[in-house]
Amino acid sequence: TGRYSMQKRILIVDDEPAIREMVAFALRKGDYEPVHAGDAQQAQSAIADKVPDLILLDWMLPGTSGLELARRWRREDLTREVPIIMLTARGEEDDRVGGLEAGVDDYVVKPFSARELLARIRTVLRRSREDAEDGSVAVGGLRIDGAAHRVFANEEPINIGPTEFRLLHFFMTHPERVYSRSQLLDHVWGGSVYVEERTVDVHIRRLRKTLEPSGLDAMIQTVRGAGYRFSTAV
């Protein structure tokens, strides 16, 4: 059973047994160890038993909402570092912002496929242990070799500046989500007060230009009035 001790333990907090079963089935196929909880109380006792590597948390729970739980877990020492992915049937941007402010790491909107869920889990787990990782990531035709600090487009090396590199790395580890200019400034530039939001546009343009010869520039999408999104669905 040495193999099982290496498995990542994932806590599923959802009040619908059918959803828990479906998610658990997907997790087992992805070689994760699922743990079930139907409400906040069951979730707390599961965590007390053994802290999970990641929590899948339903937005709508009886009694304590998923949002309240996320806030509580971010305050507690035991769970402060545990990544949380919120399962939500609600697509409203306000809800997501509320969740992100509460400390949620990512969202999966119902109905979702097992494949999408596993992809999100892998991404979030990778991000949470980036210090242990060398920062390598591959999405679509793009690949970053973190150790060598190089970018490959369709396996051809490309020349890229350090800021474009950081910007691309952030996009590739946070795909399919819209980020405003100010969010990108925070994440990529560390919220430097000397950098204007227009700077983001300049670097986006430069990044697209760098990716243009490989035909992968369309992965960086402008979302009018909102910001930018990195997506393989071109």
Side-chain angles (χ1 to χ4, degrees), residues 93-180:
E93 212 52 40
D94 292 354
D95 289 346
R96 293 174 175 234
V97 169
L100 292 170
E101 282 169 357
V104 171
D105 295 274
D106 206 349
Y107 274 90
V108 179
V109 180
K110 295 175 184 175
F112 49 80
S113 68
R115 204 170 137 203
E116 182 194 1
L117 181 65
L118 290 173
R120 289 294 174 90
I121 288 170
R122 276 194 298 274
T123 302
V124 169
L125 283 173
R126 183 169 58 231
R127 253 155 49 198
S128 72
R129 58 163 201 274
E130 257 177 7
D131 46 350
E133 281 265 322
D134 67 3
S136 295
V137 59
V139 181
L142 285 170
R143 180 169 69 83
I144 289 179
D145 179 338
H149 216 70
R150 301 198 69 179
V151 180
F152 296 85
N154 301 321
E155 290 310 313
E156 290 291 320
I158 55 176
N159 291 323
I160 190 165
T163 303
E164 282 76 41
F165 182 97
R166 282 209 312 279
L167 189 58
L168 182 61
H169 191 276
F170 177 74
F171 274 140
M172 286 175 71
T173 50
H174 300 71
E176 313 298 340
R177 280 196 12 214
V178 179
Y179 287 92
S180 68

Side-chain angles (χ1 to χ4, degrees), residues 41-100:
Q41 209 175 343
Q42 288 177 14
Q44 287 298 110
S45 59
I47 289 166
D49 180 41
K50 190 180 178 198
V51 178
D53 293 289
L54 183 139
I55 299 169
L56 292 174
L57 176 62
D58 190 39
W59 181 282
M60 302 292 280
L61 286 171
T64 311
S65 77
L67 207 54
E68 286 171 62
L69 265 185
R71 283 203 184 95
R72 186 195 300 173
W73 288 335
R74 282 293 165 257
R75 284 196 303 267
E76 292 172 1
D77 287 345
L78 206 57
T79 45
R80 187 172 289 145
E81 302 291 316
V82 180
I84 299 170
I85 296 180
M86 207 118 190
L87 307 177
T88 173
R90 329 166 90 187
E92 291 97 338
E93 212 52 40
D94 292 354
D95 289 346
R96 293 174 175 234
V97 169
L100 292 170

Side-chain angles (χ1 to χ4, degrees), residues 4-10 31-34 53 125 129:
Y4 289 99
S5 60
M6 296 301 292
Q7 277 186 321
K8 296 273 184 213
R9 185 186 179 94
I10 297 181
D31 208 25
Y32 296 109
E33 179 198 346
D53 293 289
L125 283 173
R129 58 163 201 274

